[in-house]
Amino acid sequence: MLIFCLCLLAMFLFWLFGHIIGTILYLSILFMGHLISYWYFYLPFIILISLAIAFGIKSVLAMLVLIIFILSLAIALMIYWPRHHNS
């Protein structure tokens, strides 16, 4: 009777662990599929977080301000240059 109970306990534990591992595997595949599908949304945040970890938040904010300033100057030149410098 003891061996039978131990076999039932082993069957139940393997069934339980199988469901737990299956659920974790299913959720990880679902999460990775979501990340792969929406990489263009998550990638900038991952890059910003990794830069903030590597260089500190103040330097990353300074880099972002500098990038925004350079992009705004480039856009302003793209708008201004053709109007006033016709050849």
Side-chain angles (χ1 to χ4, degrees):
M1 188 69 172
L2 180 63
I3 295 174
F4 177 71
C5 289
L6 288 177
C7 287
L8 282 178
L9 180 65
M11 285 171 43
F12 172 72
L13 288 177
F14 277 110
W15 172 81
L16 183 66
F17 288 142
H19 278 287
I20 291 172
I21 292 171
T23 303
I24 291 171
L25 187 64
Y26 171 74
L27 289 176
S28 63
I29 290 172
L30 198 69
F31 181 70
M32 288 306 295
H34 180 78
L35 282 181
I36 290 170
S37 295
Y38 296 103
W39 63 270
Y40 51 86
F41 182 74
Y42 289 111
L43 189 65
F45 290 115
I46 293 171
I47 290 172
L48 282 177
I49 290 171
S50 60
L51 282 175
I53 290 171
F55 298 112
I57 294 175
K58 287 184 180 179
S59 60
V60 171
L61 287 176
M63 280 190 283
L64 285 176
V65 167
L66 188 63
I67 288 171
I68 290 171
F69 181 69
I70 290 171
L71 285 176
S72 64
L73 280 176
I75 291 171
L77 278 175
M78 283 171 44
I79 293 171
Y80 174 78
W81 192 266
R83 290 183 182 175
H84 298 285
H85 293 87
N86 291 331
S87 55

